[in-house]
Amino acid sequence: MNRISRYQLAALLLIGDAFVLFCLPGRICVMTAAGFAAGSILQLFIALPLARLYDRGFTLTDSGRAVRLGLLACVLLWGGTMFAMLWQTSSVIYIPYEDSGTWGRFLVGGLIAAVCIYISSSGIKALARSGAIAAGLGALCVMTVVVSASVQSDLNNILRPVRSDLPAELIRGFGASGGLGSFAVLMSFTEGSKVRGAALYFACKGLLSGVVLFTAVAVAGGIMEVADFPVTAAAQLSQPFPVQRTDSLFMVVFSVFAVFSAAVQASAAEYLMARTIPQLKRFRCTLALIIMVSAGAAIDSAEAGMRLFAAAAPAALLAAPAEMLVRGGLRKRNEA
């Protein structure tokens, strides 16, 4: 059976969250770290109703077709936003063929999609097992950068005047959380208490966001005005060893996380397609990836996609349990 542990759930979803942080555009400050961490706590409270319903035996198939279509749209559009992030970040990270224009982007997107199809074909359980290994590699990279930052950071970077407020950064954090749609799907595969699984994931997400963003400010705060992607700039500037830079390690982690982030969205979309459009019996994963790559090409900027998800993803996550409860109440009334 495609059952995963809550630790595997957290690992799979945190890969996507880390990838979004790597590709996060615009200025960041200490308030950004606080806003993203606080946003994770609020997202946990939003996710708790659905987690409790899962613990009571409800599934996404108990929700209406409109709710499942809404979640499917969120998953597909967020996958497209991730491809847009990948292509935008290629301006500071060398990715072969990315400089070849539209065809180069589609070539890279197609190669990633091909790998995702292979990964997804093995099922959620196999994806979760390999994702745990990838998450371990990412944790090693993050710890390396944090250790380097503790040695090289400038306190003045942290104490710079804050040009943003908590509500604005909180909304920005919600916009970077489009993976809530895939969370709703993957949580249904989790063994044991779904509430504990959700609590573990969002706690780790808040910690990851806070540590990564705070470290980026400490390392790259001096060039924040000119750095398009501050977290990536901080990783590239990090040099904990006197004779070896960490660029190669970061490139490996970035590439692996890009593939797994797309694979998670494709697997979630395939699951929703199977239960929303039963007439579509074959090539669901391939179709999902084609839609995501096309959506990524159509999105003007990753910022536009993130602004859309600031409200869409939490609304979709709340709609599922609300609709399940209404349907359950009506079913009990009819049985009575």
Side-chain angles (χ1 to χ4, degrees):
M1 293 180 64
N2 278 329
R3 306 298 293 177
I4 61 177
S5 70
R6 60 177 179 267
Y7 302 104
Q8 291 172 328
L9 170 73
L12 275 179
L13 295 170
L14 287 172
I15 287 175
D17 294 326
F19 179 74
V20 172
L21 292 175
F22 293 157
C23 302
L24 188 68
R27 294 186 73 261
I28 62 173
C29 58
V30 175
M31 195 61 69
T32 308
F36 274 60
S40 298
I41 298 175
L42 291 179
Q43 290 163 29
L44 171 60
F45 287 105
I46 293 174
L48 281 179
L50 182 59
R52 289 196 178 99
L53 285 179
Y54 279 155
D55 281 334
R56 289 167 54 184
F58 283 81
T59 65
L60 279 178
T61 54
D62 294 318
S63 63
R65 182 185 178 91
V67 171
R68 295 196 297 273
L69 281 173
L71 282 173
L72 177 60
C74 283
V75 170
L76 292 174
L77 288 175
W78 184 245
T81 302
M82 283 188 159
F83 275 104
M85 289 178 182
L86 171 66
W87 293 330
Q88 285 189 358
T89 314
S90 66
S91 62
V92 294
I93 296 179
Y94 173 71
I95 300 176
Y97 304 108
E98 280 284 335
D99 293 331
S100 302
T102 303
W103 288 111
R105 290 186 172 189
F106 275 108
L107 177 59
V108 173
L111 291 174
I112 292 176
V115 177
C116 291
I117 292 172
Y118 173 76
I119 294 174
S120 302
S121 64
S122 301
I124 296 291
K125 193 173 184 66
L127 177 64
R129 287 176 175 174
S130 54
I133 299 173
L137 176 64
L140 174 63
C141 179
V142 170
M143 286 189 294
T144 301
V145 175
V146 170
V147 170
S148 174
S150 65
V151 177
Q152 302 178 15
S153 61
D154 185 353
L155 186 61
N156 292 327
N157 292 336
I158 301 173
L159 298 179
R160 286 175 180 273
V162 176
R163 298 186 180 181
S164 184
D165 54 19
L166 184 60
E169 296 298 344
L170 192 64
I171 294 173
R172 190 180 179 189
F174 269 86
S177 301
L180 292 177
S182 55
F183 162 77
V185 175
L186 293 178
M187 188 168 56
S188 64
F189 291 95
T190 307
E191 296 176 333
S193 171
K194 308 299 188 294
V195 171
R196 290 183 180 179
L200 174 67
Y201 163 59
F202 285 107
C204 292
K205 180 182 179 182
L207 179 63
L208 173 70
S209 300
V211 169
V212 169
L213 293 173
F214 187 84
T215 301
V217 173
V219 174
I223 63 169
M224 201 63 70
E225 297 293 342
V226 296
D228 293 328
F229 305 97
V231 175
T232 296
Q236 292 175 329
L237 289 172
S238 175
Q239 190 173 350
F241 312 112
V243 295
Q244 180 65 48
R245 293 178 62 87
T246 58
D247 299 58
S248 299
L249 174 60
F250 179 74
M251 275 295 299
V252 171
V253 171
F254 182 86
S255 302
V256 171
F257 277 23
V259 172
F260 270 94
S261 299
V264 168
Q265 300 305 312
S267 297
E270 183 180 18
Y271 174 87
L272 289 168
M273 282 182 176
R275 283 148 185 82
T276 307
I277 315 173
Q279 299 85 356
L280 189 63
K281 299 184 181 298
R282 301 179 62 185
F283 306 114
R284 290 188 294 261
C285 185
T286 304
L287 178 59
L289 285 162
I290 291 174
I291 294 174
M292 286 193 292
V293 172
S294 301
I299 294 174
D300 291 335
S301 65
E303 295 95 319
M306 290 170 61
R307 285 194 295 269
L308 172 66
F309 282 96
L317 199 61
L318 286 170
E323 205 269 348
M324 285 181 193
L325 287 173
V326 171
R327 279 179 171 267
L330 292 176
R331 188 181 302 116
K332 288 182 178 179
R333 181 181 300 177
N334 292 334
E335 290 175 354

